[in-house]
Amino acid sequence: MKTVSRVINGEPNVSAATIAKVMAAARTLDYQPDLHAGNLRRADGRTRTLGLLVGSVDNPFAGAVHRAVEDVALQHGVAVFASSLDDDPDREQESVDAFLRRRVDGLILTTVTESQAYLAPELRRGTPVVFVDREPAGITSDAVVSDNADGAALATRHLLEGGHRRLAYLGDRPVIQTARERRRGFLEELGRAGVATRGVPVVDGLHDEESARAATIALFDSPNPPTAIFSAQNLVTIGVIRALRELGRHHDTALVGFDDVPLGDLLDPGVTVVAQDPQGIGRAAAERVFARLDGDHSPPVRTIVPTRLIERGSGEIPPRREG
Amino acid sequence: MKTVSRVINGEPNVSAATIAKVMAAARTLDYQPDLHAGNLRRADGRTRTLGLLVGSVDNPFAGAVHRAVEDVALQHGVAVFASSLDDDPDREQESVDAFLRRRVDGLILTTVTESQAYLAPELRRGTPVVFVDREPAGITSDAVVSDNADGAALATRHLLEGGHRRLAYLGDRPVIQTARERRRGFLEELGRAGVATRGVPVVDGLHDEESARAATIALFDSPNPPTAIFSAQNLVTIGVIRALRELGRHHDTALVGFDDVPLGDLLDPGVTVVAQDPQGIGRAAAERVFARLDGDHSPPVRTIVPTRLIERGSGEIPPRREG
DNA sequence: TTGAAAGCGCTAACAC
DNA sequence: GTGTTAGCGCTTTCAA
């Protein structure tokens, strides 16, 4: 009997006796319905599956985003494919293709390609695409991001208010949209404060602890080293901390990082950061996907998840007085 | 023409002209093959999909495992579903069901159920199941684990060799197999060293930073507090560190943790740990799955990934001399 | 309340 | 080299 389908899906109009028989058989055979086979014919065409692309699944920011997405997805009976981007445009394309070939119902993406126009056909087909962490280019779709320029300005203002005038910027590669925004926020805040930006060290292209560490050491190998550092990324902040310790400068050089650092409150000094809210970002992104799936056809939304300054000590170190 | 299939899959015996025509059409229509539809009929029945269940995707240990699994899977063109267990047996069952309904080719599981016998039918069906971090119960299958008892003994021996005799154990809930193993390793090592275990504080059931912090504070609210602590889990270690600082005891109480702690080398004192190798565990587990899929039908293998002691300071603090 | 027939998008097997 | 036919496990539609 093909009434089996009715029983499995809990549809009405089946006699109790039939239900019992089918259930018994299912148990004996360890039957598990094949979701994908059903989806092939099902009216809504949903695979109850979602694709998530993050920086790397082993990075704490991404982990928090992932977890929040999973929690929302779980409530909808949706499973999530997770992949790591590694800031590699080819990997982005391959991951997205892999998701699409598996007919995910929605996409939550951190991207590194110059343009995501390649997603236009999929968007037209009705697949919800939500960008997280970084905003899309060459295409318009929902996005959930931190206000990077604003957060960077907040960090910078904090240092300026502490009396610093010799600041330095250390950040990630400018191909990354958030890196550009954070640098912009830093420079604009200096401008607003009337601090001349020429002569301010702006070191780009740092991607891991080691390059940040080396750059910091180089920075201090100059006649007039900065009294305060704004490090615009996670790993960069850690590299800076290592360097300052090596130089014995961690108690006389102020540091504010963008994005929180694990155990940042237990270090000495505590690490002052502009923290993002990765959980909030993940949740908002997943909710956006499900709203779209539920028929929300309003224009694309840009959701900004606030950042906040957490003072822990390193950002409150006053400028050195020099003779 | 249904020769399309041949072109898409790069099969031989198609003329160049036909290939070109098909490719052009595919491009125009933004065609993406439906992997699942194909799988329905394909001989090998592979979905090129894998299910991974970890403690929580936002925990650093799990993140590293996940990343390693992803890297191996990627080489095989396999996408991975990741879910969080939260040490909840119901969640385990639901996640596994969700994976099975999606016909994953293999399963990599951290479990918390008392018995995983419920997987027997799936195993008989030929789906490779590899247990990670914790060993299976009620069923036999491949497993990739750290040697928990051995690692705990290593940590304990290190403290004993430092001259400590008043040790304390702080660990996770004993429903968790690794927690039991680590406790066993600790107690057995004390026995081997001829240290009486009665009177040694063994605090179980700690699951997060806060409970570990409270337990540590309680420990010091006694006439003869320990001079050395073995904390048998990640978050427990962090809770202990917080408590020791609050008590001003972090420089006169030795501490060795099981499982590494982020930035453990930057704290003061540096955190001595018995580190696991989550990357190695993830890689080995994924390789096991693919070996099984490639036809390896040898008996189940238990792979032990070594732990290692990393001395950073906290574990080398000598016992207090008391008057 | 139940079942039979068709078809989802693809691949297998076998013609042509 | 290319096309045809059948069928994977399910849901849809419609008839009984």
Side-chain angles (χ1 to χ4, degrees):
Chain A
M1 330 174 200
K2 305 301 195 232
T3 314
V4 170
S5 179
R6 281 188 260 261
V7 176
I8 300 294
N9 296 312
E11 283 167 39
N13 297 333
V14 188
S15 75
T18 313
I19 292 183
K21 253 191 293 181
V22 173
M23 297 297 252
R27 212 169 313 263
T28 316
L29 302 172
D30 297 300
Y31 174 78
Q32 288 273 17
D34 183 327
L35 223 52
H36 295 300
N39 169 61
L40 212 50
R41 193 66 168 80
R42 206 179 353 255
D44 65 8
R46 299 274 166 84
T47 55
R48 310 202 79 77
T49 271
L50 193 147
L52 170 68
L53 183 61
V54 292
S56 172
V57 295
D58 73 349
N59 144 320
F61 179 86
V65 171
H66 184 176
R67 179 60 205 248
V69 168
E70 181 194 343
D71 287 345
V72 176
L74 190 64
Q75 296 174 345
H76 294 257
V78 164
V80 2
F81 283 117
S83 290
S84 301
L85 175 62
D86 273 354
D87 285 333
D88 175 351
D90 294 337
R91 228 176 136 130
E92 173 182 332
Q93 300 270 8
E94 282 163 29
S95 299
V96 170
D97 272 14
F99 291 151
L100 262 23
R101 277 195 295 270
R102 289 175 176 81
R103 296 294 186 265
V104 296
D105 297 336
L107 244 23
I108 297 181
L109 304 176
T110 309
T111 60
V112 70
T113 43
E114 268 184 44
S115 160
Q116 294 80 47
Y118 68 90
L119 283 166
E122 196 58 30
L123 226 41
R124 243 177 277 123
R125 207 169 284 156
T127 308
V129 178
V130 178
F131 292 88
V132 283
D133 189 33
R134 303 171 190 170
E135 305 199 23
I139 200 179
T140 312
S141 193
D142 291 330
V144 179
V145 295
S146 297
D147 190 333
N148 289 284
D150 195 65
L154 180 60
T156 309
R157 198 175 323 132
H158 185 66
L159 291 169
L160 290 169
E161 284 171 359
H164 293 275
R165 286 301 172 271
R166 291 215 311 282
L167 281 68
Y169 168 96
L170 296 178
D172 208 329
R173 301 171 312 174
V175 279
I176 297 170
Q177 187 247 345
T178 54
R180 291 195 302 274
E181 286 296 295
R182 293 172 196 172
R183 185 178 58 186
R184 181 168 70 79
F186 171 79
L187 291 171
E188 288 183 358
E189 186 64 27
L190 287 187
R192 275 191 289 274
V195 174
T197 54
R198 80 179 55 210
V200 170
V202 170
V203 187
D204 273 320
L206 306 175
H207 202 57
D208 53 18
E209 289 184 25
E210 185 42 35
S211 56
R213 187 186 139 277
T216 307
I217 289 175
L219 215 52
F220 277 85
D221 191 22
S222 75
N224 229 356
T227 65
I229 293 176
F230 169 54
S231 59
Q233 193 247 60
N234 229 346
L235 301 176
V236 173
T237 302
I238 295 170
V240 171
I241 292 171
R242 290 192 192 284
L244 290 179
R245 295 217 174 185
E246 279 177 44
L247 298 167
R249 292 295 210 157
H250 51 306
H251 283 121
D252 76 1
T253 304
L255 171 65
V256 178
F258 196 106
D259 200 13
D260 207 355
V261 158
L263 300 192
D265 60 326
L266 288 179
L267 299 184
D268 179 39
V271 189
T272 295
V273 296
V274 171
Q276 303 186 77
D277 178 8
Q279 254 223 244
I281 291 177
R283 191 183 333 109
E287 283 168 355
R288 214 79 272 296
V289 167
F290 288 107
R292 293 300 183 192
L293 288 173
D294 285 350
D296 175 356
H297 291 111
S298 55
V301 181
R302 184 160 162 274
T303 307
I304 295 180
V305 178
T307 56
R308 71 183 221 280
L309 181 74
I310 306 180
E311 305 185 15
R312 297 194 183 118
S314 74
E316 293 69 49
I317 295 172
R320 296 183 292 276
R321 306 225 199 109
E322 314 192 36
Chain B
M1 332 173 199
K2 305 304 198 239
T3 313
V4 170
S5 180
R6 281 187 260 261
V7 176
I8 300 295
N9 296 312
E11 284 166 37
N13 299 332
V14 188
S15 74
T18 313
I19 293 183
K21 253 191 293 181
V22 172
M23 297 297 252
R27 212 168 312 263
T28 317
L29 302 171
D30 297 300
Y31 174 80
Q32 289 273 17
D34 183 328
L35 223 52
H36 294 300
N39 168 62
L40 213 49
R41 193 64 167 81
R42 206 182 351 259
D44 65 8
R46 299 274 166 85
T47 54
R48 309 201 80 76
T49 270
L50 194 148
L52 170 68
L53 183 61
V54 291
S56 172
V57 295
D58 71 350
N59 144 321
F61 179 85
V65 171
H66 184 177
R67 180 57 206 248
V69 168
E70 181 193 343
D71 287 345
V72 176
L74 189 65
Q75 295 173 344
H76 295 256
V78 164
V80 2
F81 283 117
S83 290
S84 301
L85 174 62
D86 273 354
D87 285 333
D88 175 352
D90 294 338
R91 232 179 132 127
E92 174 182 332
Q93 300 269 8
E94 283 163 29
S95 299
V96 171
D97 272 15
F99 291 152
L100 262 24
R101 277 195 296 270
R102 289 176 176 81
R103 296 293 186 269
V104 295
D105 297 336
L107 244 22
I108 297 181
L109 303 177
T110 309
T111 60
V112 72
T113 44
E114 270 184 43
S115 160
Q116 293 80 47
Y118 68 90
L119 282 166
E122 196 57 31
L123 226 40
R124 243 176 279 122
R125 207 168 286 155
T127 308
V129 178
V130 178
F131 292 89
V132 283
D133 189 33
R134 304 172 189 168
E135 306 200 23
I139 200 178
T140 313
S141 194
D142 292 329
V144 180
V145 295
S146 296
D147 191 333
N148 289 283
D150 195 64
L154 179 61
T156 310
R157 197 175 325 130
H158 185 64
L159 291 169
L160 289 168
E161 285 170 358
H164 294 275
R165 285 302 172 271
R166 292 215 310 283
L167 280 67
Y169 168 95
L170 295 179
D172 209 327
R173 300 171 313 174
V175 279
I176 296 168
Q177 187 247 345
T178 53
R180 293 195 300 275
E181 286 297 294
R182 292 172 197 173
R183 184 178 59 187
R184 181 168 71 79
F186 170 78
L187 291 170
E188 287 182 359
E189 186 63 27
L190 288 188
R192 274 191 289 274
V195 174
T197 55
R198 80 179 55 209
V200 170
V202 170
V203 186
D204 274 319
L206 306 175
H207 203 57
D208 53 18
E209 290 185 26
E210 184 41 35
S211 57
R213 187 185 138 277
T216 307
I217 289 175
L219 215 53
F220 277 85
D221 190 22
S222 77
N224 230 356
T227 65
I229 293 176
F230 170 54
S231 59
Q233 191 248 61
N234 229 346
L235 301 176
V236 173
T237 303
I238 295 170
V240 172
I241 292 171
R242 289 192 192 284
L244 291 179
R245 296 215 176 187
E246 279 178 44
L247 297 166
R249 293 294 210 159
H250 52 305
H251 282 122
D252 76 1
T253 305
L255 170 66
V256 179
F258 196 106
D259 199 14
D260 207 354
V261 157
L263 301 192
D265 60 325
L266 287 179
L267 299 183
D268 178 38
V271 190
T272 295
V273 296
V274 172
Q276 303 186 77
D277 178 7
Q279 254 222 245
I281 292 177
R283 192 183 333 108
E287 282 168 355
R288 213 79 272 296
V289 167
F290 288 107
R292 293 302 184 189
L293 288 173
D294 286 350
D296 174 357
H297 291 112
S298 55
V301 181
R302 184 161 162 274
T303 306
I304 296 180
V305 178
T307 56
R308 71 184 222 280
L309 181 74
I310 307 180
E311 304 186 16
R312 297 195 184 115
S314 75
E316 293 69 50
I317 294 173
R320 295 183 290 277
R321 306 228 196 106
E322 310 189 43

